[in-house]
């Protein structure tokens, strides 16, 4: 019998942890998945949409069993200024049929479902158990975790930390050099109850089709953004707020949500809705610049715990990065066990898998975008500039002849107090940054 | 259809107590977050008061901070924004306790 309780301990049964445990179990490894909530997903919320394409590798035809609210067939980006709005809206029925693209889902449902896939593959899920620290061998290598259960130590040659954005394990292991509030936003959300037929009328969808609207502006001057998306019988509406900007003013998060709800472009969508659940979560928003070292002796880190959340304006993704990084961590861990080397060197295959896939490729390509999107000009000046240009383009001001587009842009840019050099620089940065 | 649409851009406004009451909290007798009252008394910036989504940090008339861990979302905002070393000791609640999300 092995001197260990398992081949690997995975901490946290969110999308990263369940995929790590699933990959390990599929590789024939004995894996324990530890979750501090009473069920997987009970601690998790987000601002949106799951893009489960990566699950094709782990759960073929996942769409037949995944607990989805609505398939996103409309994707809108809305720019809000004082009382007006400019929206770019794309829709296609093709995202509403197999193999699908993105879906809205309640995380307590989705994450629970994903954890059951890991259990079905042979992983042992232990819920209602908080991991309180790491165990190390005399040489300092991680070889297990301490939990809050009596005699709750769990030993294994490998620990995969999928313990979320606050990852105490990654910090304890020294994988983060510093924690800077400027790298984080707080997402605050209301799940708003509305009759199904009302949602479908207001958002222009039918059956199990849904809408995801991402919003720039409308956050009471606090750098961040907003979102609205449709579930079957609720609409989720929330804001994401950059922490140092939130604390530099006096409006509380729920007041900022109330301001967004009052906006003339938003209010008609949610009139008469009652709050069914209020929730909040912190988001690692700074991308590549805040990421930790991904492996150390006996330990890997994945998902939000590794800051693998993509907040790149037109792309706002996290669950897919969590699922993929968890899967790669599980595979790299299984390979390291097979080769008998669970040192940082033996686990280096994980970093390679991240780099060869979208997980780090997207983050490298878009490394300058999170900073640009949350910058003061993009947040404070550009929304009003864009909507006032659009207003003048579409306003019919007869008998005056139409002004030229160039003149409108120049005048509105000056009115917004934007220097031409700054606009060109940001434009260049965006063009380069988005690749 | 019996659903009534409001006549203006309003919706049923709710108190913070009602708002926080929509979330489920399984409260453990031991506080998972401990706030050092003396440090907070000397703090003038009080980032936690405006930022905590659960509104758990309330200034008192004598210049202190009243803190309640029971309705905590376990998000981490408070310790991330706090400028005072050691003012907020932050841990996760015991396994099985704390916030339980359902429709989010």
């Amino acid at each position: 019998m092995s001197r260990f309780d398992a081949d690997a301990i995975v901490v946290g049964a969110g999308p990263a942890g369940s995929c790590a445990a699933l990959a390990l179990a599929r590789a024939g490894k004995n894996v324990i998945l530890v979750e501090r909530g009473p069920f997987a997903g009970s601690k998790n919320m987000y601002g949106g949409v799951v893009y489960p394409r990566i699950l094709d590798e782990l759960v073929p035809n996942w769409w037949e069993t995944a607990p989805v609210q609505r398939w996103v067939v409309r994707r809108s980006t809305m720019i809000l200024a004082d009382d007006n709005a400019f929206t770019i809206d794309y829709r296609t029925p093709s995202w509403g049929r197999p193999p699908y693209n993105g879906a809205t889902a309640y995380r307590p449902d989705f994450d629970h479902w994903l954890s059951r896939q890991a259990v079905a593959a042979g992983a042992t899920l232990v819920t209602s158990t908080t991991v309180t620290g790491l165990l190390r061998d005399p040489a300092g290598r991680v070889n297990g975790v301490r939990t809050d259960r009596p005699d709750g130590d769990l030993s294994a040659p490998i620990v995969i930390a999928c313990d979320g954005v606050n990852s105490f394990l990654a910090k304890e292991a020294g994988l983060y050099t510093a924690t800077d509030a400027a790298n984080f936003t707080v997402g605050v959300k209301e799940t708003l109850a509305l009759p199904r037929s009302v949602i479908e009328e207001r958002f222009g969808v039918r059956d199990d089709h849904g809408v995801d609207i991402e919003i720039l502006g409308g956050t009471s001057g606090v750098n961040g953004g907003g979102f609205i998306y449709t579930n079957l019988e609720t609409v989720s509406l929330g804001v994401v707020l950059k922490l140092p900007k939130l604390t530099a003013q006096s409006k509380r998060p729920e007041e900022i949500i109330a301001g967004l709800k009052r906006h003339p472009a938003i209010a008609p969508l949610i009139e008469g809705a009652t709050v069914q659940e209020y929730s909040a979560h912190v988001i690692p928003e700074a991308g590549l610049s805040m990421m930790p070292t991904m492996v150390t002796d006996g330990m890997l880190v994945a998902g939000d715990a590794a800051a693998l959340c993509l907040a790149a304006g037109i792309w706002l993704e996290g669950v897919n990065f969590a699922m993929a990084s968890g899967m790669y961590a599980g595979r790299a861990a299984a390979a390291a066990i097979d080769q008998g080397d669970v040192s940082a060197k033996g686990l280096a295959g994980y970093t390679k898998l991240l780099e060869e896939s979208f997980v780090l490729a997207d983050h490298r390509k878009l490394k300058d975008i999170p900073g640009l999107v949350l910058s003061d000009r993009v947040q404070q000046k550009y929304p009003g500039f864009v909507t006032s240009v659009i207003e003048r383009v579409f306003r019919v001001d007869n008998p005056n002849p139409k002004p030229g587009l160039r003149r409108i842009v120049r005048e509105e840019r000056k009115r917004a107090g934007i220097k031409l050099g700054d606009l060109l620089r940001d434009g260049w940065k965006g063009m380069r940054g988005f690749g | 259809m019996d659903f009534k649409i409001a006549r203006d851009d309003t919706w049923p406004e709710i108190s913070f107590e009602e708002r926080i009451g929509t979330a489920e909290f399984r409260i453990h007798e031991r506080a998972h977050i401990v706030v050092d009252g003396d440090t907070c008394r000397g703090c003038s910036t009080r980032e936690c008061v405006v930022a905590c989504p659960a509104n758990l940090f309330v200034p008192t008339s004598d210049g202190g901070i009243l803190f309640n861990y029971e309705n905590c979302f376990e998000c981490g905002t408070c310790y991330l924004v706090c400028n005072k070393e050691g003012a907020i000791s932050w841990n996760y609640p015991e396994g099985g306790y704390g916030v339980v999300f359902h429709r989010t």
Side-chain angles (χ1 to χ4, degrees), chain A residues 332-411:
Chain A
I337 292 166
D338 289 341
Q339 281 153 24
D341 180 5
V342 296
S343 68
K345 193 157 163 280
L347 293 169
Y350 175 47
T351 314
K352 194 156 175 279
L353 288 168
L354 295 180
E355 274 168 358
E356 287 168 354
S357 69
F358 73 95
V359 178
L360 280 179
D362 284 359
H363 273 287
R364 281 198 200 291
K365 186 188 296 175
L366 299 165
K367 65 178 170 26
D368 294 329
I369 298 300
L372 179 66
V373 169
L374 285 178
S375 69
D376 286 343
R377 271 196 299 277
V378 169
Q379 290 281 328
Q380 315 285 347
K381 292 192 169 173
Y382 293 169
F385 165 57
V386 169
T387 59
S388 58
V389 166
I390 298 296
E391 195 276 336
R392 284 188 62 189
V393 168
F394 289 138
R395 190 203 319 155
V396 175
D397 202 21
N398 299 157
N400 297 322
K402 292 196 188 305
L405 193 56
R406 228 176 340 195
R407 194 181 112 202
I408 295 178
V409 170
R410 187 176 62 241
E411 287 175 4

Side-chain angles (χ1 to χ4, degrees), chain A residues 74-348:
Chain A
R74 266 185 88 179
R75 176 71 170 78
S76 304
T77 298
M78 192 182 259
I79 299 172
L80 291 189
D82 312 333
D83 66 349
N84 54 5
F86 174 53
T87 305
I88 300 161
D89 182 38
Y90 176 77
R91 65 183 297 163
T92 170
S94 73
W95 289 352
R97 51 181 182 256
Y100 299 103
N101 182 48
T104 60
Y106 292 137
R107 291 289 300 282
D109 297 345
F110 186 84
D111 292 9
H112 175 73
W113 168 81
L114 199 50
S115 78
R116 298 321 296 177
Q117 310 303 309
V119 170
T124 303
L125 172 63
V126 182
T127 57
S128 296
T129 303
T130 300
V131 168
T132 54
L134 295 168
L135 299 176
R136 294 171 191 267
D137 70 11
R141 293 175 294 232
V142 174
N143 68 352
V145 296
R146 182 146 286 167
T147 77
D148 65 349
R149 296 240 183 169
D151 303 315
D153 288 0
L154 290 170
S155 63
I158 294 181
V159 171
I160 306 183
C162 305
D163 53 338
V165 59
N166 289 301
S167 189
F168 294 120
L169 296 186
K171 286 173 196 162
E172 184 183 335
L175 298 178
Y176 279 98
T177 49
T179 303
D180 182 356
N183 291 335
F184 297 91
T185 57
V186 60
V188 189
K189 183 171 87 173
E190 292 179 357
T191 305
L192 296 163
L194 281 171
R196 187 173 173 166
S197 59
V198 172
I199 291 173
E200 289 170 4
E201 276 174 27
R202 290 187 189 175
F203 289 86
V205 288
R206 293 202 180 102
D207 305 322
D208 56 358
H209 288 181
V211 184
D212 170 37
I213 305 173
E214 304 293 344
I215 303 164
L216 177 66
T219 48
S220 301
V222 177
N223 300 35
F227 57 85
I228 310 179
Y229 58 88
T230 55
N231 303 303
L232 220 43
E233 291 179 315
T234 61
V235 171
S236 295
L237 177 148
V239 293
V240 167
L241 307 164
K242 188 169 172 167
L243 290 184
K245 297 290 184 177
L246 173 61
T247 57
Q249 52 89 63
S250 62
K251 262 194 189 170
R252 290 192 29 81
E254 74 279 4
E255 296 172 319
I256 296 173
I257 288 186
L260 178 62
K261 288 168 78 175
R262 270 194 298 271
H263 192 283
I266 306 297
L269 298 174
I270 49 145
E271 270 169 7
T274 49
V275 180
Q276 196 172 76
E277 191 165 315
Y278 174 61
S279 56
H281 211 281
V282 161
I283 308 164
E285 194 97 5
L288 198 64
S289 68
M290 71 180 291
M291 283 179 199
T293 308
M294 296 291 178
V295 296
T296 185
D297 294 338
M299 180 171 153
L300 308 87
V301 56
D304 272 10
L308 289 167
C309 197
L310 184 71
I314 58 172
W315 294 300
L316 299 158
E317 302 170 19
V319 177
N320 53 336
F321 282 84
M323 293 190 292
S325 59
M327 176 180 78
Y328 294 133
R331 286 179 183 168
I337 292 166
D338 289 341
Q339 281 153 24
D341 180 5
V342 296
S343 68
K345 193 157 163 280
L347 293 169

